[in-house]
């Protein structure tokens, strides 16, 4: 099979590697597409030895290990693989994937299996209700552009997208934002819900953008600090969010949210945006992400 190798200090290359075989509790999946994001760029920048990164994948089950009977050969699945994701064949944990409708485009499916799930679940964690206003940080990102669309299609009274550079404003408006600001601009009106996938200083700025009783949901790995005093007077709240805990404790809840995402996609109310590269152009994909020039999800097509 073809597999991307990530040497230290050098560009990624595509090489031939042995086909993996599934062990107990594993699925062997022939990859259609695999995602690339800022996490991959950061991992490569900090690596002091060769790495085998994980990522979201969509593909077809071609072999099933013992104790993985929930899936069968021929099932189309999508989800997260924690290692060896950038290859034509990957080993997946059945608990971390779900079925993908056969009619859904692979790149669309890749955008939704994690990014869409995070966006929808973050809105729910923020107790969003129709008619409320929403600010989405990193609004042009793989998760952010879906959060903008979801907030709009679920009845937000106003959706504001925050971006790192003004040249992404048109894209974010096309996704359904009523207003677009850059991170150094102040909002003209406060909002009820902030979805923060950036971290750092943007967390406290998001708190400052909240109306009384407003809620900020933080789901970035970038961290960030909040002045507790800035929450008190107007009864603001900050909630941390990760899909991982829900996957372990409330899988049926995530199943319902996935079903909702597929329904919205089929109805044309959700339109994932993506930039697609062939697997052997992984270097171009990484360069695009590293310069923050991408809008929507970056996808590598293996099949």
């Amino acid at each position: 099979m073809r597999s991307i190798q990530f040497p230290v200090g050098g560009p990624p290359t595509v090489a031939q590697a042995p086909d993996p075989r599934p062990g107990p509790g594993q699925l062997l999946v022939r990859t259609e597409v695999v995602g690339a994001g800022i996490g991959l760029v950061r991992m490569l920048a900090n690596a002091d030895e060769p790495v085998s990164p994980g990522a979201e994948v969509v593909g077809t089950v071609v072999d099933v290990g013992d104790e993985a009977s929930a899936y069968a050969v021929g099932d189309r699945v999508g989800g997260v693989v924690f290692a060896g994701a950038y290859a034509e064949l990957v080993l997946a944990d059945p608990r971390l994937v779900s079925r993908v409708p056969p009619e859904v485009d692979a790149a669309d499916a890749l955008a939704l299996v994690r990014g869409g799930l995070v966006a929808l679940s973050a809105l729910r964690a923020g107790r969003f209700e129709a008619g409320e206003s929403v600010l989405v940080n990193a609004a042009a990102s793989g998760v952010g552009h879906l959060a903008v669309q979801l907030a709009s299609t679920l009845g937000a009274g106003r959706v504001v997208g925050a971006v790192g550079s003004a040249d992404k404003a048109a894209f974010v408006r096309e996704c359904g934002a009523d207003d677009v600001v850059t991170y150094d601009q102040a909002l003209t009106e406060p909002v009820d819900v902030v979805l923060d996938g950036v971290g750092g200083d943007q967390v406290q700025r998001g708190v400052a953008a909240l109306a009384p009783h407003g809620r900020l949901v933080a789901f970035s790995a970038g961290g960030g600090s909040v002045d507790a005093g800035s929450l008190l007077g107007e009864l603001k709240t900050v909630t941390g969010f990760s899909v991982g805990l829900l996957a372990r404790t409330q899988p049926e809840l995530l199943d319902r949210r996935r079903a909702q995402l597929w329904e919205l996609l089929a109805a044309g109310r959700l339109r994932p945006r993506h930039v697609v590269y062939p697997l052997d152009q992984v270097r171009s994909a990484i360069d695009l992400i590293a310069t923050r020039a991408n809008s929507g999800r970056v996808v590598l097509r293996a099949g």
Side-chain angles (χ1 to χ4, degrees), residues 98-185:
S98 61
R99 286 178 171 81
V100 172
E103 71 276 8
V104 175
D105 173 78
D108 285 350
L110 184 82
L112 294 188
V113 291
R114 184 179 179 279
L117 193 62
V118 169
L120 180 57
S121 296
L123 275 170
R124 297 308 185 204
R127 307 189 307 281
F128 164 75
E129 295 183 3
E132 291 189 314
S133 53
V134 180
L135 168 66
V136 179
N137 284 338
S141 68
V143 174
H145 87 286
L146 294 172
V148 168
Q149 292 185 47
L150 285 165
S152 179
T153 199
L154 295 177
R158 181 169 62 105
V159 181
V160 182
V163 293
S165 59
D167 59 358
K168 295 184 178 182
F171 171 79
V172 175
R173 288 185 185 278
E174 288 173 4
C175 290
D178 300 294
D179 298 299
V180 182
V181 297
T182 56
Y183 294 142
D184 57 355
Q185 290 179 304

Side-chain angles (χ1 to χ4, degrees), residues 134-137 191-196 206-207 209-210 215-218:
V134 180
L135 168 66
V136 179
N137 284 338
V191 295
D192 300 302
V193 178
V194 173
L195 303 184
D196 180 69
V207 169
L210 288 172
R215 294 88 66 195
L216 182 145
V217 180

Side-chain angles (χ1 to χ4, degrees), residues 37-47 198 220-222 292:
I38 192 64
L40 174 63
V41 173
R42 289 170 177 161
M43 176 184 289
L44 298 179
N46 295 321
V198 178
S220 167
R292 305 299 178 102

Side-chain angles (χ1 to χ4, degrees), residues 18 33 35 47 50 55 62 69 72 80-81 91 99 122 126 170 177 203 212 242 256 266 272:
V33 289
V62 294
S69 58
V80 178
V81 171
L91 294 172
R99 286 178 171 81
V203 180
S242 170
R256 292 196 297 272

Side-chain angles (χ1 to χ4, degrees), residues 200-209 216 225-228 230:
D201 294 342
Q202 293 308 312
V203 180
Q204 187 62 54
R205 288 187 180 184
V207 169
L216 182 145
S225 300
V226 174
D227 175 7
S230 66

Side-chain angles (χ1 to χ4, degrees), residues 22-56:
Q26 289 183 317
L27 304 173
L28 183 64
V29 177
R30 183 170 298 281
T31 309
E32 295 178 62
V33 289
V34 56
I38 192 64
L40 174 63
V41 173
R42 289 170 177 161
M43 176 184 289
L44 298 179
N46 295 321
D48 54 10
E49 60 182 7
V51 295
S52 181
E56 305 100 283

